[in-house]
Amino acid sequence: MSRLALVSAMHEELAAVLARMPDEQKTVVAGREFWIGHWHGHEVVAVLSRIGKVAAATTATTLIERFGVTRMLFTGVAGGLAPHVNVGDVVVARAFVQHDMDASPLFPRHEVPLTGMTHFPSDVALSDALLAVAPLALADLVQSLPPSDWLGLALDAATVHQGLVASGDRFVSTNAESAELQRRLPQALAVEMECAAMAQVCRDYGVPLAAIRTISDRADDAAHVDFPRFIQTIASRYSVAVLDRLLAQLPVS
């Protein structure tokens, strides 16, 4: 039987996931709490990724080596990079790049040494499935959440994007940093701190990975929404709605 990893970036997301797993059991490995249970008949392992590329890579490796997961799904938030990606929008990753990887002149900038790769693709089938359910989950959120809880965002106009996501061990929060990333990686839609490292691990082990990110800020100097409220009220609810619809339609194997 296949085992699916559900990796969350925030405690609020993990709590929402665990609420859908009636039989979860906790196992602690490498200082992390892994929750094993079922959701819509799928055997799943839920865990926090922790923050940063090394922490995320450790989590991914443990999921594969210790828990034998055969597929991996990541949900979390990210900063918008591309001009058309707005707060409240959603990005389904098609590929990942480590924006802070630079072993030049020995290797081209962004290339992971000894792999010959700058971009690590997400799994096509899982990403297609995410892309199919994301608009439906977004509509669920809009219908169930009173406009007074939209934090001033036009959630009814939110867009689902697909494309490149950049990861690095730096929280991007200034206009200068954002502009530099856009210059170097013009195809990147969003920036975060975990998934490219997880993608490298999953490639090494041949494990499919897909990721979906809700845009929480514009990764610049602009005024942002109340981040804790955004996570609790919007992002965590959206993530669990996406996973609920996805697992309901994925065949149990």
Side-chain angles (χ1 to χ4, degrees):
M1 184 176 183
S2 64
R3 179 175 277 184
L4 177 67
L6 303 179
V7 186
S8 301
M10 300 289 176
H11 286 280
E12 293 85 354
E13 287 182 309
L14 180 63
V17 167
L18 295 180
R20 301 299 182 96
M21 296 168 55
D23 59 345
E24 77 273 11
Q25 295 183 339
K26 181 176 72 173
T27 299
V28 178
V29 182
R32 292 155 170 77
E33 295 180 346
F34 295 83
W35 300 86
I36 304 172
H38 293 82
W39 190 353
H40 285 307
H42 296 274
E43 186 172 347
V44 301
V45 183
V47 64
L48 285 178
S49 63
R50 298 195 175 188
I51 298 172
K53 293 191 301 179
V54 173
T58 298
T59 301
T61 302
T62 305
L63 282 166
I64 297 167
E65 287 279 3
R66 179 65 179 266
F67 295 95
V69 302
T70 54
R71 292 179 293 179
M72 206 172 296
L73 287 168
F74 187 100
T75 63
V77 296
L81 271 185
H84 64 288
V85 177
N86 301 308
V87 177
D89 285 356
V90 179
V91 174
V92 174
R94 287 298 188 178
F96 310 92
V97 61
Q98 296 183 42
H99 67 75
D100 56 354
M101 173 61 71
D102 187 1
S104 59
L106 299 178
F107 299 90
R109 191 168 191 177
H110 303 131
E111 181 176 310
V112 176
L114 307 184
T115 67
M117 299 176 66
T118 58
H119 293 33
F120 288 75
S122 63
D123 181 72
V124 174
L126 279 178
S127 299
D128 285 347
L130 279 176
L131 196 64
V133 301
L136 303 176
L138 192 54
D140 291 342
L141 178 66
V142 168
Q143 292 174 7
S144 63
L145 195 65
S148 57
D149 289 335
W150 291 8
L151 306 183
L153 301 171
L155 291 184
D156 52 348
T159 302
V160 178
H161 308 272
Q162 58 176 319
L164 181 65
V165 172
S167 308
D169 284 319
R170 187 173 79 247
F171 187 79
V172 179
S173 59
T174 68
N175 289 337
E177 289 177 301
S178 180
E180 170 61 13
L181 281 181
Q182 290 178 58
R183 184 190 66 78
R184 284 195 283 112
L185 297 165
Q187 294 181 323
L189 300 178
V191 59
E192 38 87 324
M193 300 178 70
E194 292 85 24
C195 279
M198 294 178 63
Q200 184 178 340
V201 171
C202 286
R203 175 187 176 273
D204 287 345
Y205 282 94
V207 172
L209 168 71
I212 186 167
R213 293 276 189 169
T214 304
I215 302 303
S216 60
D217 60 86
R218 279 289 309 163
D220 57 21
D221 298 324
H224 306 311
V225 298
D226 184 329
F227 185 75
R229 284 191 63 199
F230 181 86
I231 296 298
Q232 184 173 13
T233 305
I234 296 175
S236 63
R237 292 184 182 181
Y238 182 72
S239 293
V240 79
V242 167
L243 292 175
D244 192 53
R245 281 190 170 273
L246 180 70
L247 295 183
Q249 77 168 33
L250 283 180
V252 177
S253 58

